[in-house]
Amino acid sequence: MSLRTLGSSADLDGQVVLLRVDANVPVDQGVITDDGRIRAFLPTLEWLVSKGAAVVVASHLGRPSGPEDTHLSLAPVARRLAELWGKAVPLINGVTGPEVWTAVDALLPGQVCMVENVRFDPRETSQDASERLELAMEWADHVDATVVDGFGVVHRKQASVYELPRLTTSYAGLLVEKEVEVLTRLTTEPERPYTVVLGGSKVSDKLGVIEALLPSVDIIVVGGGMVFTLLKAQGHPVGSSLLEENMLDTVRGFMAKAHDHGVTVVLPTDIVMAQSFSPDAGHEVLPIAALESGVHGAHAIGLDIGPESARHFAQVVRDSATVFWNGPMGVFEFDAFAHGTQVLAQALTEVTGLSVVGGGDSAAAVRALGFAESDFGHISTGGGASLEFLEGSVLPGLEILGWQR
Ligand code: ADP
Ligand code: MG
């Protein structure tokens, strides 16, 4: 691994560092409901400050159309960061411009400030490389180095992740370093049995990674909303459950390929079928063979794997030496349908080898269900980025930091 890491060569004493993080946390009416992504980059911020750097923290939040989207201001993030860190983190009102430069140029070693949501400036995500470069050049005039610690965005060609690190000295932050290290272990000679558990909402989001994993995994376990497309492809009625009709043939092809590779595909044997998609919907557990009765009766929508499936999935996970899990087993946001996800998460904590949780909602689920980060080998902060990494794609934001597969 040739990733330029902080430990290797960075001498940042007295330098102004732009720290690009992924603080894209869920915010509900100004309140952060899960601060995992802020905690995740805090060690890098502390490291930089301890080395005498002045740090400008930059992040995106959601997909604003511009600064007028004030509900996507980083104000709650700056407040939470200051609380967690125990020192002041002033938020400068702007992404670039005189107010920002005055504040940045005045920073002393060890001081930290935050700029506004980088996506308030449309050049950050522009398809036009020259526009992104223009924004990056404005930053490069005021900072000496860039540290990228937003693993969730390294798969994107965006000004703060791709153009800026080319214009200044640049390093991977501690979180990006850890992500790359752990995900590399999943792609190079993982200990066996190697099991991948997939769930969540869409097969189409995940098929690329599933295909890419076929040659290296031993077992693929599937639950969540995506399982209904697989069940339907096998001829089971799935009622009003989540279904991607146009993926049925692709899924059949995938099952055949899995068979050719000697990969065991484990599907649920029972499903929690509900009356409607709502937290208090009436529901019953039906064996797969009896889904027909639910579909034609009152319970036509599958919202979780059943208890028998959960027990079986958990056993498979516990018996594995390496486990990667992406995608909740059911609609964990509703207590009544969180059981499958709960049991699976518990099993992951009992894996003696390497257990990795990837995906925004999956990471949020394990925290919401009360598990500690330290219960798992690693919780990846990047949903799309971790999947693309496992697929074998070249991630622009890592390539720019010297990384080669
Ligand atoms: P991640 O962000 O971890 O990659 P996804 O975004 O793919 O995960 O999927 C998460 C979503 O999948 C959750 O909001 C969850 O409610 C939903 N989900 C899981 N099981 C079902 C189901 N049976 N029906 C509908 N949605 C589901
Ligand atoms: Mg998601």
Side-chain angles (χ1 to χ4, degrees):
M1 179 165 93
S2 51
L3 190 68
R4 284 195 304 281
T5 57
L6 289 173
S8 55
S9 51
D11 177 13
L12 298 169
D13 190 12
Q15 308 254 297
V16 179
V17 174
L18 185 136
L19 173 61
R20 171 55 156 116
V21 299
D22 174 6
N24 187 26
V25 290
V27 180
D28 187 10
Q29 301 186 347
V31 178
I32 295 172
T33 51
D34 178 15
D35 62 8
R37 284 183 164 168
I38 302 176
R39 291 174 187 273
F41 72 77
L42 190 54
T44 304
L45 178 66
E46 288 174 328
W47 191 95
L48 291 170
V49 165
S50 77
K51 298 295 176 192
V55 185
V56 183
V57 181
S59 178
H60 68 289
L61 181 66
R63 296 171 187 273
S65 31
E68 66 277 12
D69 278 339
T70 49
H71 69 286
L72 293 174
S73 160
L74 285 177
V77 172
R79 271 197 304 274
R80 187 77 192 113
L81 177 59
E83 272 167 31
L84 291 169
W85 187 38
K87 294 180 196 167
V89 180
L91 174 69
I92 317 303
N93 183 22
V95 178
T96 63
E99 195 179 331
V100 174
W101 307 139
T102 305
V104 169
D105 296 347
L107 280 182
L108 299 173
Q111 288 185 335
V112 173
C113 72
M114 196 158 194
V115 291
E116 259 299 358
N117 190 341
V118 288
R119 290 187 186 166
F120 281 176
D121 190 317
R123 293 174 297 176
E124 166 71 2
T125 52
S126 172
Q127 296 299 316
D128 181 344
S130 66
E131 288 186 4
R132 299 197 306 263
L133 187 62
E134 191 188 283
L135 171 58
M137 283 166 74
E138 290 184 22
W139 277 323
D141 275 346
H142 297 269
V143 305
D144 305 306
T146 310
V147 171
V148 177
D149 214 22
F151 188 72
V153 281
V154 292
H155 59 317
R156 308 247 191 243
K157 274 192 183 166
Q158 296 180 345
S160 60
V161 185
Y162 189 65
E163 275 78 15
L164 179 61
R166 277 197 309 193
L167 295 177
T168 68
T169 349
S170 54
Y171 304 94
L174 303 176
L175 174 65
V176 164
E177 181 182 354
K178 170 105 190 288
E179 295 269 10
V180 169
E181 191 242 316
V182 174
L183 295 175
T184 301
R185 278 170 69 192
L186 291 180
T187 43
T188 46
E189 297 172 24
E191 274 190 66
R192 300 186 177 284
Y194 175 17
T195 297
V196 171
V197 184
L198 293 164
S201 40
K202 284 182 156 181
V203 192
S204 46
D205 282 354
K206 314 262 165 106
L207 214 73
V209 71
I210 308 180
E211 297 254 26
L213 287 170
L214 279 179
S216 53
V217 306
D218 301 300
I219 304 169
I220 294 183
V221 177
V222 188
M226 69 154 76
V227 82
F228 298 101
T229 305
L230 274 75
L231 291 174
K232 176 87 178 185
Q234 293 190 325
H236 298 288
V238 299
S240 320
S241 309
L242 207 63
L243 176 66
E244 284 175 276
E245 199 80 57
N246 60 341
M247 295 299 292
L248 287 172
D249 281 341
T250 317
V251 158
R252 281 187 200 105
F254 156 76
M255 302 287 255
K257 262 189 227 159
H259 183 260
D260 294 345
H261 281 283
V263 174
T264 309
V265 178
V266 179
L267 297 181
T269 49
D270 57 352
I271 299 286
V272 182
M273 297 293 287
Q275 231 160 0
S276 61
F277 189 92
S278 64
D280 49 6
H283 52 273
E284 65 178 332
V285 175
L286 289 176
I288 291 294
L291 285 188
E292 192 86 47
S293 68
V295 169
H296 296 297
H299 302 123
I301 169 165
L303 294 186
D304 194 8
I305 57 171
E308 183 186 88
S309 310
R311 267 197 306 279
H312 182 213
F313 286 13
Q315 192 59 49
V316 171
V317 163
R318 278 193 298 265
D319 290 345
S320 302
T322 307
V323 184
F324 175 70
W325 172 33
N326 169 260
M329 292 294 101
V331 183
F332 72 94
E333 294 92 337
F334 302 157
D335 286 348
F337 308 105
H339 180 258
T341 305
Q342 167 88 41
V343 170
L344 194 91
Q346 178 64 39
L348 250 90
T349 68
E350 292 161 18
V351 172
T352 43
L354 175 64
S355 61
V356 180
V357 182
D361 291 293
S362 309
V366 299
R367 287 191 285 262
L369 293 170
F371 293 93
E373 300 246 345
S374 55
D375 291 344
F376 303 90
H378 180 63
I379 300 186
S380 181
T381 48
S386 42
L387 293 181
E388 285 194 25
F389 189 101
L390 293 178
E391 274 173 46
S393 312
V394 174
L395 308 188
L398 290 183
E399 211 187 8
I400 234 60
L401 302 173
W403 187 76
Q404 287 168 327
R405 210 173 273 276

